[in-house]
Amino acid sequence: DADVTQTPRNRITKTGKRIMLECSQTKGHDRMYWYRQDPGLGLRLIYYSFDVKDINKGEISDGYSVSRQAQAKFSLSLESAIPNQTALYFCATSDFLGTQYFGPGTRLLVL
Amino acid sequence: DAKTTQPPSMDCAEGRAANLPCNHSTISGNEYVYWYRQIHSQGPQYIIHGLKNNETNEMASLIITEDRKSSTLILPHATLRDTAVYYCIVRPVGTNAGKSTFGDGTTLTVKP
């Protein structure tokens, strides 16, 4: 089984809808991250969490929120989706040393 | 975190060594150099990291210059499956690792 899983893998939604992307990990890491990737570009950090009680904004947090339900679970929400949030979203985990392990990604299309 | 500069694209012949450069002239003393790769929109995959000594693992070798302002990732015998986008990142180990960003990377194309 994969160490980092993301659900759903693909999602189509309409402008204004609220959606949640979920991430689970079995690596036992305290640190979890959400990234966004637009076509042809690198990954940009949305939010990160260093433990269950810690939430930090990344470079592009506007329009997004997160919830760290447990050490193993970190969810990303789009409160009111807009078309320019169409992108590939990745969850990642790391231990204290910082080496990151990524999930397979969620492809989101906002119409 | 220090920024990195990588060439946007490179080609390599199958079976030959692929040498991917990265400049990180503003790297701090406590920052490590990390390399990841991303194959066709899959999740990025960790390759290797180092501080100042050269490192080697089953995937690749990492050569860091003595002044630590640049590094080279070496894939000793590139295969078609090594075609991917390669990201070079610098970050401190432990604290503030989450603030790392990925630049646009180098697209390596391995050709038959």
Side-chain angles (χ1 to χ4, degrees):
Chain A
D1 287 341
D3 294 321
V4 184
T5 56
Q6 293 183 233
T7 55
R9 295 293 312 279
N10 295 280
R11 178 74 184 268
I12 301 173
T13 191
K14 295 182 179 180
T15 297
K17 294 290 187 181
R18 181 181 188 275
I19 66 165
M20 179 182 291
L21 309 182
E22 299 187 350
C23 177
S24 295
Q25 54 112 348
T26 58
K27 296 193 73 68
H29 290 163
D30 286 326
R31 301 183 174 197
M32 298 187 74
Y33 313 79
W34 275 104
Y35 289 88
R36 165 182 173 156
Q37 186 174 35
D38 293 288
L41 300 178
L43 282 72
R44 291 184 290 169
L45 185 62
I46 307 173
Y47 272 96
Y48 62 102
S49 169
F50 280 4
D51 64 42
V52 175
K53 297 180 181 179
D54 176 74
I55 300 290
N56 303 282
K57 292 183 177 180
E59 58 179 319
I60 56 161
S61 59
D62 288 349
Y64 302 94
S65 63
V66 292
S67 174
R68 185 78 185 269
Q69 301 95 322
Q71 184 202 41
K73 296 185 182 295
F74 192 37
S75 59
L76 175 72
S77 294
L78 285 68
E79 298 301 326
S80 179
I82 56 176
N84 78 359
Q85 291 178 312
T86 292
L88 190 53
Y89 290 85
F90 289 104
C91 174
T93 74
S94 78
D95 58 16
F96 179 75
L97 296 176
T99 300
Q100 290 176 304
Y101 299 87
F102 287 81
T106 294
R107 194 173 296 277
L108 175 66
L109 173 61
V110 183
L111 299 175
Chain B
D1 293 352
K3 292 191 183 297
T4 62
T5 303
Q6 299 177 254
S9 64
M10 294 182 61
D11 291 342
C12 178
E14 188 178 19
R16 304 297 295 269
N19 297 282
L20 291 90
C22 180
N23 286 320
H24 31 80
S25 58
T26 59
I27 192 170
S28 300
N30 67 341
E31 289 182 318
Y32 282 64
V33 180
Y34 278 81
W35 283 84
Y36 291 81
R37 74 179 182 185
Q38 185 177 26
I39 298 174
H40 190 55
S41 297
Q42 297 176 19
Q45 175 190 25
Y46 165 78
I47 301 173
I48 199 168
H49 75 283
L51 182 63
K52 56 182 179 180
N53 297 320
N54 298 337
E55 302 287 345
T56 295
N57 63 20
E58 64 280 4
M59 291 183 68
S61 295
L62 174 61
I63 308 298
I64 302 174
T65 58
E66 191 169 344
D67 63 7
R68 303 205 327 119
K69 293 184 177 182
S70 65
S71 61
T72 301
L73 178 75
I74 301 172
L75 308 178
H77 305 287
T79 70
L80 299 179
R81 291 189 218 175
D82 291 323
T83 292
V85 179
Y86 288 77
Y87 297 101
C88 169
I89 303 160
V90 292
R91 67 160 68 120
V93 170
T95 59
N96 295 322
K99 292 184 179 180
S100 302
T101 57
F102 288 63
D104 294 338
T106 295
T107 299
L108 174 69
T109 302
V110 180
K111 298 184 175 181

